[in-house]
Amino acid sequence: MAAGTVDRVGVVGAGIVGLAVARRLTELRPDLHVTVVDKEDDVAVHQTGHNSGVVHAGLYYAPGSLKARLCTRGRGLLRDFCADHGLAYDECGKLVIARRDEELPALREIERRATENGVPGLRWLPGEEIAQVEPEAVGVAALHSPHTAIVDFRAVARALAGDLRDKGHDVRLGFEVTAVLPQLGGGVVVSSGREAFAVDRLVVCAGLQADRVSRLVGDDAGPAIVPFRGEYHRLVPEREHLVRGLVYPVPDPRYPFLGVHFTRRVGGGVDVGPNAVLAFAREGYRRRDVRPAELLRTLTWPGMRPLARKHWRTGLAEFHGSLSRRVFLAAAREFVPTLSDDDVVPAPAGVRAQAVDRDGGLVDDFRVHRVGPVVTVRNAPSPAATSSLAIGEYVADRVLEPPAA
């Protein structure tokens, strides 16, 4: 192999983003051999597999940002991928509802962003017209995005993995990366402690473990991943008629979270949530999931003190909602008032890998670093699943660029 030649590429992380990057690499360079590794025994176990399933239309994102650009591009690519693979893609539509007059300026800002981002079919609805779309919903005004859709992102990830295997590439599960070492002559050796393989380029798409794995390749310590658990309830079957599609509040612009909302699932059922509470483990899907060493690393990250100082009241409110179904549902009841505490049962939670900078800032946009022959995806929160195939294009281009001298 000649110096500088790229014949083998590794991808750490078999979530939807890592698999999408691998797919795009094989499209750009059919001669490449790609190896995807993941510590779990299946693909899409964490953020992809706990995703709400919403294909975002691009309402919220700052025009010109990576999120805005890649969400718009990714939505179309994902729709076509689902059609080609026989996967369900349901444009059930979405309402974003202003509950009070003071939320109207924020809703107008969402309308402005959505218009600049080219969201198709967007309509402003005065309060009296909300019931035409969602008969049980109320508010002073709403935005209707009829082409917001729902899919099964785990099924998409499995289809991506299947395509890679069919083309002769490797998706190696149960492979936890413990070391990444420079290789004489270029490239790196990726090791699990029990086995290893060499590649010319490496991509880190490790989600909840993104900062930890990125440090193995010499990347910056920051931003650090702070895990936030998103808890859900699910409407009992006889009350699923409360919503036809997706019903969201106007989100608090201080945070990258969208507030407790109603999400219809492509496989059936309607979820109510999520909140956003600090998890005590990277993969802390339950309140009782506590890993002291991981929690200590989270709490001692320099950005945690300014983050807590600025947002402690909101954090306490989220914990209160976590402990009380009545409090949890109160926000949702503001725009679907017929919802009662007896209408829901607990549903599985997810954990969001929220990147936090040293100054306590919540990283909003996608963030990608380059360290020699390694590209690291350091922040890929929602709408990363929607954007995954476009993120794959963006990252793959950088993987194949020559490393900086």
Side-chain angles (χ1 to χ4, degrees):
M1 182 186 71
T5 300
V6 180
D7 295 314
R8 305 160 300 171
V9 178
V11 178
V12 180
I16 195 169
V17 172
L19 293 166
V21 172
R23 175 181 188 264
R24 181 57 176 168
L25 286 165
T26 66
E27 290 177 340
L28 292 174
R29 286 278 308 278
D31 58 313
L32 280 179
H33 183 77
V34 177
T35 300
V36 181
V37 298
D38 197 286
K39 68 184 179 65
E40 304 298 346
D41 294 328
D42 197 359
V43 303
V45 167
H46 292 294
Q47 291 187 106
T48 304
H50 292 82
N51 190 286
S52 66
V54 175
V55 181
H56 293 280
L59 275 72
Y60 306 102
Y61 318 118
S65 65
L66 276 179
K67 276 189 176 182
R69 290 157 43 204
L70 299 184
C71 180
T72 299
R73 169 75 176 156
R75 184 180 72 247
L77 293 172
L78 180 62
R79 182 181 60 242
D80 293 345
F81 183 89
C82 289
D84 291 344
H85 289 76
L87 300 175
Y89 184 97
D90 180 4
E91 290 189 346
C92 62
K94 170 178 175 176
L95 278 184
V96 181
I97 297 177
R99 296 156 289 183
R100 296 173 290 278
D101 287 341
E102 53 265 35
E103 291 183 336
L104 290 174
L107 188 64
R108 284 294 187 190
E109 172 60 14
I110 294 172
E111 180 187 37
R112 182 193 70 80
R113 291 185 174 199
T115 300
E116 289 196 37
N117 292 338
V119 173
L122 190 71
R123 289 192 302 147
W124 179 278
L125 301 179
E128 62 271 17
E129 294 183 17
I130 290 174
Q132 296 175 13
V133 178
E134 289 286 355
E136 299 292 337
V138 299
V140 297
L143 283 176
H144 182 217
S145 171
H147 296 290
T148 296
I150 50 176
V151 299
D152 181 347
F153 282 117
R154 179 171 282 179
V156 173
R158 286 174 174 160
L160 288 166
D163 287 352
L164 288 168
R165 288 172 170 139
D166 288 346
K167 293 178 180 178
H169 303 285
D170 293 326
V171 180
R172 298 170 65 175
L173 303 174
F175 187 109
E176 182 170 4
V177 176
T178 57
V180 179
L181 303 172
Q183 187 179 25
L184 187 64
V188 296
V189 175
V190 183
S191 173
S192 70
R194 298 187 305 275
E195 51 185 332
F197 63 96
V199 291
D200 307 306
R201 300 283 167 83
L202 182 68
V203 190
V204 175
C205 300
L208 286 161
Q209 310 294 337
D211 55 345
R212 183 185 68 81
V213 179
S214 294
R215 284 195 294 270
L216 295 177
V217 306
D219 199 2
D220 296 337
I225 294 300
V226 175
F228 283 89
R229 185 171 58 254
E231 297 163 330
Y232 288 90
H233 288 81
R234 183 162 294 160
L235 293 181
V236 295
E238 58 269 24
R239 296 292 280 169
E240 289 177 6
H241 68 275
L242 282 177
V243 296
R244 294 174 172 175
L246 312 171
V247 186
Y248 284 60
V250 174
D252 187 331
R254 296 175 299 168
Y255 303 105
F257 312 116
L258 298 180
V260 172
H261 50 269
F262 293 80
T263 305
R264 185 165 289 280
R265 295 283 189 163
V266 73
V270 177
D271 286 352
V272 185
N275 55 6
V277 295
L278 182 68
F280 295 157
R282 289 289 178 104
E283 297 161 8
Y285 296 101
R286 301 165 299 182
R287 292 193 200 106
R288 66 176 181 270
D289 292 336
V290 180
R291 293 189 175 181
E294 292 181 358
L295 179 58
L296 181 63
R297 283 195 293 271
T298 294
L299 296 177
T300 55
W301 171 245
M304 281 302 292
R305 181 173 293 182
L307 179 68
R309 188 165 53 243
K310 185 175 182 181
H311 301 297
W312 66 270
R313 288 185 178 86
T314 300
L316 286 178
E318 291 292 313
F319 271 111
H320 189 195
S322 175
L323 297 172
S324 168
R325 177 186 296 187
R326 178 186 58 81
V327 173
F328 184 98
L329 295 178
R333 198 175 287 121
E334 289 188 53
F335 52 96
V336 180
T338 53
L339 177 71
S340 75
D341 292 358
D342 295 331
D343 290 339
V344 301
V345 294
V351 179
R352 175 189 177 111
Q354 177 58 55
V356 177
D357 278 324
R358 285 183 174 274
D359 63 1
L362 297 167
V363 180
D364 184 53
D365 207 0
F366 300 144
R367 189 175 292 183
V368 178
H369 293 179
R370 178 73 181 262
V371 183
V374 183
V375 173
T376 62
V377 179
R378 298 300 300 267
N379 191 53
S382 180
T386 299
S387 311
S388 55
L389 296 175
I391 295 173
E393 293 179 337
Y394 179 86
V395 172
D397 286 345
R398 280 142 190 82
V399 172
L400 297 177
E401 291 173 351

